[in-house]
Amino acid sequence: WVASRELAEILRPGYPNSLKGQPLLLPTQNTVLRRSVEMWLERQDFDPNVSAEIEDSALLKLLAAEGLGVAPVASIVLRDLQDRYGLYPIGALEGASMQFYAISVERRVTHPAVKAISEAARSQLFRI
């Protein structure tokens, strides 16, 4: 979960209970992230206060940056969200996950641009 700096500082100490009653900015129901978030909310026994369901992930981040609510995001992009949107982490959605796919018609990636993207994803996004 992320929010504006001010809201994140208030909610972080009591996380996850601090989210109860907070306005949640959620992706629409047709997304994998939304299903993961709903399962997490059920495990926490939360009755969510959904203030908006947003299809566009950039709009979701902008609304959170304006202090209008708390938004779930993939942890892999936290540093970028802080730099670009001024969003700060509140806490992790333990057990929630997302999958990323790169699909190619070729067995081996030979196109230089596709190869560069694939290698960057392996080295930067998925380093463990």
Side-chain angles (χ1 to χ4, degrees), residues 16-81:
N17 290 326
S18 60
L19 291 185
K20 290 183 178 177
Q22 291 297 315
L24 301 182
L25 306 169
L26 299 181
T28 54
Q29 293 191 10
N30 62 336
T31 64
V32 172
L33 180 56
R34 176 63 180 264
R35 289 187 290 276
S36 256
V37 168
E38 286 178 343
M39 289 188 309
W40 184 87
L41 290 167
E42 284 178 22
R43 285 193 304 273
Q44 302 303 315
D45 197 28
F46 277 18
D47 185 20
N49 176 17
V50 179
S51 62
E53 294 183 29
I54 302 149
E55 183 89 26
D56 182 349
S57 65
L59 179 58
L60 182 132
K61 294 165 193 160
L62 286 172
L63 294 174
E66 290 296 319
L68 298 175
V70 178
V73 298
S75 60
I76 198 79
V77 297
L78 282 175
R79 188 179 309 153
D80 185 51
L81 293 178

Side-chain angles (χ1 to χ4, degrees), residues 56-126:
D56 182 349
S57 65
L59 179 58
L60 182 132
K61 294 165 193 160
L62 286 172
L63 294 174
E66 290 296 319
L68 298 175
V70 178
V73 298
S75 60
I76 198 79
V77 297
L78 282 175
R79 188 179 309 153
D80 185 51
L81 293 178
Q82 189 170 341
D83 294 345
R84 288 183 190 221
Y85 295 95
L87 290 171
Y88 291 81
I90 297 168
L93 285 93
E94 296 296 330
S97 66
M98 292 178 63
Q99 295 178 336
F100 298 91
Y101 296 94
I103 300 170
S104 172
V105 295
E106 301 172 357
R107 281 183 136 344
R108 288 181 45 159
V109 176
T110 56
H111 190 282
V114 176
K115 192 172 186 175
I117 291 168
S118 297
E119 289 171 2
R122 272 191 215 95
S123 66
Q124 295 175 18
L125 290 178
F126 303 110

